[in-house]
Amino acid sequence: MSRCPGWDALDVLQAAPDGPVAFCADLSPDSLLAAYRAGVYPFPATDEYTRTLNEVVFADQVQEGRIQLVGEESADPYAVSWWSPDPRPVLPVSAMHLSRSLARRLRNRLPWSTSLDRRFERVVRECRADRSPQWLTEELIASLVRLHDLGHAHSVEVWEDGNLIGGVFGLRVGSVFSMDSMFFRRSGASKVAVTDLAARFAQAGGVLLDAQWDSPHVRGLGGVLVPREQYVRHLRPAARDSPPMPTATLPARRLAQPTGLR
Protein backbone atom coordinates (compact mmCIF):
# COMPACT_ATOMS: atom_id res chain seq x y z
CA MET A 1 0.00 0.00 0.00
CA SER A 2 1.24 3.49 -0.87
CA ARG A 3 0.01 6.64 0.84
CA CYS A 4 0.75 10.25 -0.19
CA PRO A 5 0.64 12.97 2.46
CA GLY A 6 -0.88 15.40 -0.05
CA TRP A 7 -1.67 15.99 -3.71
CA ASP A 8 1.68 17.66 -4.37
CA ALA A 9 3.35 14.31 -3.62
CA LEU A 10 1.23 12.37 -6.14
CA ASP A 11 3.02 11.50 -9.39
CA VAL A 12 -0.03 11.47 -11.61
CA LEU A 13 2.07 10.78 -14.71
CA GLN A 14 2.84 7.31 -13.36
CA ALA A 15 -0.81 6.46 -12.70
CA ALA A 16 -2.90 4.07 -14.81
CA PRO A 17 -4.53 5.69 -17.87
CA ASP A 18 -8.06 4.65 -16.90
CA GLY A 19 -9.82 4.10 -13.62
CA PRO A 20 -9.22 6.11 -10.44
CA VAL A 21 -5.66 7.29 -9.73
CA ALA A 22 -6.27 7.89 -6.02
CA PHE A 23 -8.72 7.66 -3.14
CA CYS A 24 -9.05 10.49 -0.64
CA ALA A 25 -11.95 11.50 1.59
CA ASP A 26 -10.82 15.13 1.91
CA LEU A 27 -13.09 17.39 -0.16
CA SER A 28 -12.07 20.60 1.60
CA PRO A 29 -11.37 23.67 -0.57
CA ASP A 30 -7.60 23.33 -0.06
CA SER A 31 -7.61 19.66 -1.02
CA LEU A 32 -9.86 20.26 -4.02
CA LEU A 33 -7.70 23.07 -5.40
CA ALA A 34 -4.48 21.10 -4.86
CA ALA A 35 -5.97 18.09 -6.65
CA TYR A 36 -7.00 20.14 -9.70
CA ARG A 37 -3.52 21.65 -9.81
CA ALA A 38 -2.17 18.09 -9.92
CA GLY A 39 -4.48 17.21 -12.83
CA VAL A 40 -6.98 15.21 -10.74
CA TYR A 41 -10.72 15.68 -10.13
CA PRO A 42 -13.14 14.02 -7.66
CA PHE A 43 -16.05 11.63 -8.03
CA PRO A 44 -17.68 11.22 -4.60
CA ALA A 45 -19.61 8.06 -3.80
CA THR A 46 -23.27 8.97 -3.55
CA ASP A 47 -24.22 6.18 -1.14
CA GLU A 48 -22.77 3.40 1.00
CA TYR A 49 -23.20 0.85 -1.79
CA THR A 50 -20.97 2.88 -4.15
CA ARG A 51 -18.43 3.47 -1.40
CA THR A 52 -18.29 -0.28 -0.66
CA LEU A 53 -18.05 -1.07 -4.37
CA ASN A 54 -14.99 1.19 -4.61
CA GLU A 55 -13.31 -0.82 -1.88
CA VAL A 56 -14.29 -4.22 -3.28
CA VAL A 57 -13.20 -3.44 -6.85
CA PHE A 58 -10.04 -1.42 -6.18
CA ALA A 59 -8.66 -2.59 -2.81
CA ASP A 60 -6.19 -4.98 -4.46
CA GLN A 61 -4.80 -2.18 -6.64
CA VAL A 62 -4.48 0.02 -3.55
CA GLN A 63 -2.63 -2.74 -1.71
CA GLU A 64 -0.26 -3.16 -4.67
CA GLY A 65 0.41 0.61 -4.79
CA ARG A 66 -1.08 1.08 -8.25
CA ILE A 67 -3.74 3.39 -6.79
CA GLN A 68 -2.61 5.87 -4.15
CA LEU A 69 -4.24 6.79 -0.87
CA VAL A 70 -3.95 10.53 -0.22
CA GLY A 71 -4.29 12.30 3.11
CA GLU A 72 -4.87 11.30 6.70
CA GLU A 73 -4.80 7.60 7.53
CA SER A 74 -7.80 7.89 9.85
CA ALA A 75 -10.15 9.12 7.12
CA ASP A 76 -12.20 6.68 5.02
CA PRO A 77 -10.63 7.08 1.57
CA TYR A 78 -13.11 5.01 -0.44
CA ALA A 79 -15.82 7.64 -0.08
CA VAL A 80 -14.22 9.66 -2.90
CA SER A 81 -12.38 8.41 -5.97
CA TRP A 82 -10.14 10.78 -7.93
CA TRP A 83 -9.55 10.59 -11.67
CA SER A 84 -7.03 11.77 -14.27
CA PRO A 85 -7.76 10.12 -17.65
CA ASP A 86 -4.98 9.57 -20.17
CA PRO A 87 -5.53 10.84 -22.81
CA ARG A 88 -7.49 13.86 -21.58
CA PRO A 89 -10.44 15.34 -23.53
CA VAL A 90 -9.94 19.08 -24.00
CA LEU A 91 -11.36 21.90 -26.11
CA PRO A 92 -8.79 24.42 -27.40
CA VAL A 93 -10.31 27.86 -26.89
CA SER A 94 -8.93 29.05 -30.23
CA ALA A 95 -10.97 26.44 -32.09
CA MET A 96 -14.32 26.86 -30.32
CA HIS A 97 -17.28 27.77 -32.48
CA LEU A 98 -21.03 27.30 -32.60
CA SER A 99 -22.81 25.07 -35.07
CA ARG A 100 -24.21 26.82 -38.13
CA SER A 101 -27.79 26.27 -37.03
CA LEU A 102 -27.23 27.68 -33.54
CA ALA A 103 -25.22 30.62 -34.88
CA ARG A 104 -28.07 31.36 -37.30
CA ARG A 105 -30.58 31.31 -34.42
CA LEU A 106 -28.46 33.82 -32.50
CA ARG A 107 -28.02 36.09 -35.53
CA ASN A 108 -31.80 36.06 -35.96
CA ARG A 109 -31.99 37.87 -32.63
CA LEU A 110 -32.54 34.97 -30.26
CA PRO A 111 -32.82 37.11 -27.09
CA TRP A 112 -30.08 35.46 -25.07
CA SER A 113 -27.33 37.06 -23.02
CA THR A 114 -24.38 35.64 -21.08
CA SER A 115 -22.66 36.57 -17.84
CA LEU A 116 -19.76 35.42 -15.67
CA ASP A 117 -20.11 34.62 -11.96
CA ARG A 118 -23.54 36.15 -11.47
CA ARG A 119 -25.15 32.97 -10.09
CA PHE A 120 -22.37 30.48 -9.34
CA GLU A 121 -24.10 28.34 -6.72
CA ARG A 122 -27.35 28.30 -8.65
CA VAL A 123 -25.53 27.02 -11.76
CA VAL A 124 -23.91 24.29 -9.65
CA ARG A 125 -27.26 23.22 -8.22
CA GLU A 126 -28.93 23.31 -11.64
CA CYS A 127 -26.18 20.99 -12.86
CA ARG A 128 -27.00 18.60 -10.01
CA ALA A 129 -30.76 18.60 -10.55
CA ASP A 130 -32.23 15.50 -12.19
CA ARG A 131 -28.80 13.86 -12.46
CA SER A 132 -27.96 10.33 -11.43
CA PRO A 133 -25.65 9.64 -9.74
CA GLN A 134 -25.64 12.94 -7.85
CA TRP A 135 -21.88 13.22 -7.45
CA LEU A 136 -22.27 16.91 -6.59
CA THR A 137 -22.69 16.28 -2.87
CA GLU A 138 -23.44 19.03 -0.37
CA GLU A 139 -19.86 18.80 0.93
CA LEU A 140 -18.44 19.21 -2.56
CA ILE A 141 -20.80 22.08 -3.37
CA ALA A 142 -19.76 23.90 -0.20
CA SER A 143 -16.09 23.64 -1.16
CA LEU A 144 -16.79 24.78 -4.72
CA VAL A 145 -18.69 27.82 -3.43
CA ARG A 146 -15.76 28.66 -1.14
CA LEU A 147 -13.33 28.34 -4.07
CA HIS A 148 -15.62 30.64 -6.05
CA ASP A 149 -15.47 33.18 -3.23
CA LEU A 150 -11.66 32.93 -3.38
CA GLY A 151 -11.60 33.51 -7.16
CA HIS A 152 -10.66 29.99 -8.29
CA ALA A 153 -14.04 28.63 -9.42
CA HIS A 154 -16.25 30.36 -11.97
CA SER A 155 -19.55 30.01 -13.79
CA VAL A 156 -20.99 31.24 -17.05
CA GLU A 157 -24.73 31.85 -17.17
CA VAL A 158 -27.04 32.04 -20.19
CA TRP A 159 -30.17 34.17 -19.83
CA GLU A 160 -33.43 34.61 -21.70
CA ASP A 161 -35.73 37.41 -20.58
CA GLY A 162 -34.23 37.30 -17.09
CA ASN A 163 -34.52 33.52 -16.77
CA LEU A 164 -31.47 31.28 -16.32
CA ILE A 165 -31.62 28.76 -19.18
CA GLY A 166 -28.09 27.31 -19.23
CA GLY A 167 -24.68 27.41 -17.68
CA VAL A 168 -21.32 25.79 -17.04
CA PHE A 169 -18.96 25.88 -14.06
CA GLY A 170 -15.50 24.71 -13.05
CA LEU A 171 -12.05 25.67 -11.78
CA ARG A 172 -9.36 27.75 -13.41
CA VAL A 173 -5.81 26.43 -13.03
CA GLY A 174 -2.97 27.91 -15.04
CA SER A 175 -3.93 28.10 -18.72
CA VAL A 176 -6.66 25.46 -18.22
CA PHE A 177 -10.29 25.82 -17.18
CA SER A 178 -11.53 22.45 -15.91
CA MET A 179 -15.26 22.23 -16.57
CA ASP A 180 -17.06 20.20 -13.92
CA SER A 181 -20.57 20.24 -15.37
CA MET A 182 -23.06 22.11 -17.53
CA PHE A 183 -26.84 22.27 -17.92
CA PHE A 184 -29.48 23.65 -20.26
CA ARG A 185 -33.17 24.52 -20.10
CA ARG A 186 -33.34 25.58 -23.77
CA SER A 187 -31.83 23.68 -26.68
CA GLY A 188 -28.32 24.97 -27.39
CA ALA A 189 -27.95 26.93 -24.14
CA SER A 190 -25.14 24.74 -22.73
CA LYS A 191 -23.24 25.02 -26.02
CA VAL A 192 -23.58 28.80 -25.86
CA ALA A 193 -22.31 28.71 -22.25
CA VAL A 194 -19.20 26.72 -23.19
CA THR A 195 -18.49 28.88 -26.24
CA ASP A 196 -18.90 32.03 -24.14
CA LEU A 197 -16.55 30.59 -21.51
CA ALA A 198 -13.97 29.88 -24.22
CA ALA A 199 -14.21 33.46 -25.51
CA ARG A 200 -13.83 35.01 -22.04
CA PHE A 201 -11.05 32.59 -21.06
CA ALA A 202 -9.13 33.32 -24.27
CA GLN A 203 -9.24 37.04 -23.45
CA ALA A 204 -7.64 36.18 -20.09
CA GLY A 205 -4.82 34.16 -21.65
CA GLY A 206 -6.48 30.75 -21.33
CA VAL A 207 -5.60 27.94 -23.72
CA LEU A 208 -7.71 24.85 -22.95
CA LEU A 209 -11.11 23.94 -21.59
CA ASP A 210 -10.83 20.57 -19.84
CA ALA A 211 -13.90 18.38 -20.45
CA GLN A 212 -12.73 15.72 -17.94
CA TRP A 213 -14.81 12.87 -19.43
CA ASP A 214 -14.76 11.97 -23.14
CA SER A 215 -18.14 11.66 -24.85
CA PRO A 216 -19.86 12.23 -28.22
CA HIS A 217 -21.20 15.51 -26.79
CA VAL A 218 -17.65 16.69 -26.03
CA ARG A 219 -16.48 15.66 -29.49
CA GLY A 220 -19.43 17.56 -30.97
CA LEU A 221 -18.21 20.72 -29.22
CA GLY A 222 -14.79 20.31 -30.86
CA GLY A 223 -13.10 18.22 -28.17
CA VAL A 224 -9.81 16.47 -28.86
CA LEU A 225 -7.70 14.03 -26.84
CA VAL A 226 -4.26 15.04 -25.58
CA PRO A 227 -1.72 12.98 -23.59
CA ARG A 228 -1.93 13.43 -19.83
CA GLU A 229 1.65 14.72 -19.73
CA GLN A 230 0.78 17.49 -22.19
CA TYR A 231 -2.33 18.38 -20.22
CA VAL A 232 -0.43 18.61 -16.92
CA ARG A 233 2.12 21.00 -18.46
CA HIS A 234 -0.68 23.51 -19.05
CA LEU A 235 -1.50 23.50 -15.33
CA ARG A 236 1.88 24.85 -14.26
CA PRO A 237 1.63 28.60 -15.06
CA ALA A 238 0.60 30.44 -11.90
CA ALA A 239 -3.04 31.48 -12.03
CA ARG A 240 -2.28 34.67 -10.12
CA ASP A 241 -0.11 35.83 -13.03
CA SER A 242 -3.07 35.63 -15.45
CA PRO A 243 -5.54 38.47 -15.99
CA PRO A 244 -9.15 37.98 -14.84
CA MET A 245 -11.87 36.93 -17.24
CA PRO A 246 -14.27 39.67 -18.41
CA THR A 247 -17.37 39.73 -16.22
CA ALA A 248 -19.73 41.95 -18.24
CA THR A 249 -23.17 40.69 -19.25
CA LEU A 250 -23.02 40.46 -23.04
CA PRO A 251 -25.37 39.57 -25.92
CA ALA A 252 -24.98 35.93 -26.89
CA ARG A 253 -25.33 36.78 -30.60
CA ARG A 254 -21.76 38.11 -30.57
CA LEU A 255 -20.63 34.47 -30.39
CA ALA A 256 -22.07 33.94 -33.89
CA GLN A 257 -19.67 36.55 -35.29
CA PRO A 258 -16.10 35.98 -36.50
CA THR A 259 -13.66 35.64 -33.55
CA GLY A 260 -12.19 39.07 -34.08
CA LEU A 261 -15.60 40.71 -33.64
CA ARG A 262 -16.53 39.12 -30.28
Side-chain angles (χ1 to χ4, degrees), residues 22-23 33 73 75 114-115 121 130 142 152 174-175 211 225-226 248-249 251:
F23 286 101
L33 183 59
E73 189 171 355
T114 63
S115 60
E121 184 172 354
D130 304 322
H152 299 295
S175 59
L225 298 177
V226 300
T249 299

Side-chain angles (χ1 to χ4, degrees), residues 93 101 105 111 121-122 124 141 254 256:
V93 298
S101 60
R105 289 169 62 198
E121 184 172 354
R122 184 175 169 192
V124 175
I141 290 175
R254 83 191 195 286

Side-chain angles (χ1 to χ4, degrees), residues 180-214:
D180 283 309
S181 191
M182 64 188 76
F183 83 97
F184 66 93
R185 296 287 178 260
R186 299 283 188 277
S187 176
S190 62
K191 295 179 180 178
V192 167
V194 173
T195 305
D196 181 84
L197 173 61
R200 293 176 191 262
F201 196 38
Q203 291 181 57
V207 175
L208 297 176
L209 302 184
D210 169 28
Q212 298 185 352
W213 303 98
D214 192 20

Side-chain angles (χ1 to χ4, degrees), residues 27 42-47 50 54 78-81 133-137 140:
L27 282 171
F43 195 71
T46 56
D47 51 37
T50 307
N54 282 340
Y78 292 102
V80 186
S81 58
Q134 287 195 338
W135 60 272
L136 281 165
T137 62
L140 179 53

Side-chain angles (χ1 to χ4, degrees), residues 29-244:
D30 287 345
S31 175
L32 198 59
L33 183 59
Y36 276 75
R37 286 174 171 168
V40 182
Y41 57 84
F43 195 71
T46 56
D47 51 37
E48 185 59 27
Y49 172 81
T50 307
R51 179 258 169 233
T52 302
L53 188 63
N54 282 340
E55 184 172 9
V56 170
V57 173
F58 298 111
D60 288 347
Q61 295 181 54
V62 170
Q63 288 294 329
E64 295 165 3
R66 288 184 287 156
I67 298 177
Q68 304 287 298
L69 297 182
V70 177
E72 296 292 333
E73 189 171 355
S74 59
D76 175 15
Y78 292 102
V80 186
S81 58
W82 298 77
W83 298 71
S84 181
D86 187 13
R88 189 85 162 213
V90 299
L91 296 89
V93 298
S94 60
M96 285 292 298
H97 62 278
L98 296 172
S99 66
R100 291 181 180 178
S101 60
L102 184 52
R104 184 163 53 248
R105 289 169 62 198
L106 291 175
R107 285 195 296 269
N108 289 338
R109 297 300 186 267
L110 192 65
W112 291 0
S113 60
T114 63
S115 60
L116 181 82
D117 290 341
R118 273 182 58 187
R119 294 291 187 274
F120 179 83
E121 184 172 354
R122 184 175 169 192
V123 169
V124 175
R125 293 190 177 280
E126 289 282 357
C127 287
R128 186 175 76 163
D130 304 322
R131 300 285 179 89
S132 181
Q134 287 195 338
W135 60 272
L136 281 165
T137 62
E138 287 299 323
E139 182 182 9
L140 179 53
I141 290 175
S143 288
L144 288 166
V145 170
R146 178 57 179 157
L147 289 174
H148 169 66
D149 293 340
L150 294 172
H152 299 295
H154 303 278
S155 62
V156 163
E157 302 86 19
V158 182
W159 305 88
E160 180 182 70
D161 298 328
N163 297 311
L164 183 64
I165 60 168
V168 60
F169 80 91
L171 267 69
R172 178 181 181 176
V173 180
S175 59
V176 174
F177 191 99
S178 191
M179 299 185 296
D180 283 309
S181 191
M182 64 188 76
F183 83 97
F184 66 93
R185 296 287 178 260
R186 299 283 188 277
S187 176
S190 62
K191 295 179 180 178
V192 167
V194 173
T195 305
D196 181 84
L197 173 61
R200 293 176 191 262
F201 196 38
Q203 291 181 57
V207 175
L208 297 176
L209 302 184
D210 169 28
Q212 298 185 352
W213 303 98
D214 192 20
S215 69
H217 177 67
V218 169
R219 298 298 183 94
L221 288 170
V224 297
L225 298 177
V226 300
R228 181 195 282 152
E229 182 178 6
Q230 179 180 334
Y231 170 79
V232 169
R233 283 202 302 268
H234 284 286
L235 302 174
R236 292 172 182 167
R240 61 179 175 272
D241 295 335
S242 303

